[in-house]
Amino acid sequence: MEVLNYDHLIDDNEIVFMTYVGFITQTLLTGMLESLEHEKEFSDIPSNSAHNIFTVFIEMTQNIIKYAKSEVKKESLYKSNGLIVVGKYSSKNYFVHSQNVVLEDDVKTISERIDEINQLSSDEIRKKYRELRRNGRHIHDKGAGIGFYEIAKRAVNLEYKFTRIKNGKYYFYLTVEIKE
């Protein structure tokens, strides 16, 4: 698996709280959130920032699960081919970075949604989020709907990239910056 800018994320930041690649279970997610909670206390992360980090982390992990193209589902076990990194930039802002495999058919949907979000102001993002919650229009079996708006409500920006792998598959990289 190619890892985009992983060294850059570590070298240019004061702290990397968590890095994970592999199978994802509900128990594991609970453990990772407990680990982030300990990091919050240890590093004196403001409660509002911690809440935003946790929410973005959960949403991005759900995206890894939803878009997993090498899924092996047994109860709540997924082989995700995903990576998630949580850390702090030297500028005092935090980041959550994820990468996973998506199909070519998903690239356009994801790109359009994130491009749309990146053109909106904070107020417009919140308004659109409330609208989507009410009508459920953009919710489908793989997401690319309300979850990206949930992330955007808490983010400075959403940066993404796709890299073609083969056989109609792409790596999807998403990095979200969260203010302290």
Side-chain angles (χ1 to χ4, degrees), residues 36 80 86-87 103 148:
L36 286 172
S80 63
V86 181
L103 292 178
F148 285 127

Side-chain angles (χ1 to χ4, degrees), residues 15-17 34-45:
I15 302 169
V16 171
F17 302 137
E34 286 176 10
S35 176
L36 286 172
E37 181 67 32
H38 291 299
E39 186 62 44
K40 170 194 172 269
E41 294 168 13
F42 180 78
S43 298
D44 294 324
I45 299 171

Side-chain angles (χ1 to χ4, degrees), residues 24-138:
I24 298 174
T25 65
Q26 188 60 44
T27 303
L28 181 62
L29 285 175
T30 301
M32 289 190 290
L33 287 170
E34 286 176 10
S35 176
L36 286 172
E37 181 67 32
H38 291 299
E39 186 62 44
K40 170 194 172 269
E41 294 168 13
F42 180 78
S43 298
D44 294 324
I45 299 171
S47 291
N48 189 46
S49 297
H51 175 73
N52 290 337
I53 292 166
F54 295 170
T55 301
V56 169
F57 173 81
I58 291 167
E59 288 293 334
M60 290 173 75
T61 303
Q62 288 175 344
N63 281 340
I64 291 171
I65 292 169
K66 288 177 184 175
Y67 284 99
K69 296 308 172 191
S70 60
E71 283 186 16
V72 178
K73 292 184 182 180
K74 289 187 179 184
E75 295 175 23
S76 62
L77 183 65
Y78 301 87
K79 182 166 174 48
S80 63
N81 279 335
L83 165 80
I84 192 144
V85 180
V86 181
K88 183 176 183 179
Y89 289 123
S90 58
S91 68
K92 304 251 183 216
N93 286 347
Y94 301 92
F95 69 88
V96 181
H97 170 80
S98 69
Q99 66 182 61
N100 58 291
V101 177
V102 299
L103 292 178
E104 187 170 14
D105 295 343
D106 297 325
V107 171
K108 181 179 178 189
T109 302
I110 295 168
S111 295
E112 287 175 352
R113 183 72 61 231
I114 295 174
D115 288 344
E116 174 186 315
I117 289 168
N118 282 338
Q119 298 299 314
L120 300 175
S121 69
S122 295
D123 289 340
E124 291 169 326
I125 289 169
R126 292 180 195 292
K127 181 179 177 184
K128 184 75 170 181
Y129 174 81
R130 286 190 301 271
E131 175 188 319
L132 291 172
R133 291 244 353 194
R134 273 187 242 118
N135 69 28
R137 192 175 61 210
H138 290 305

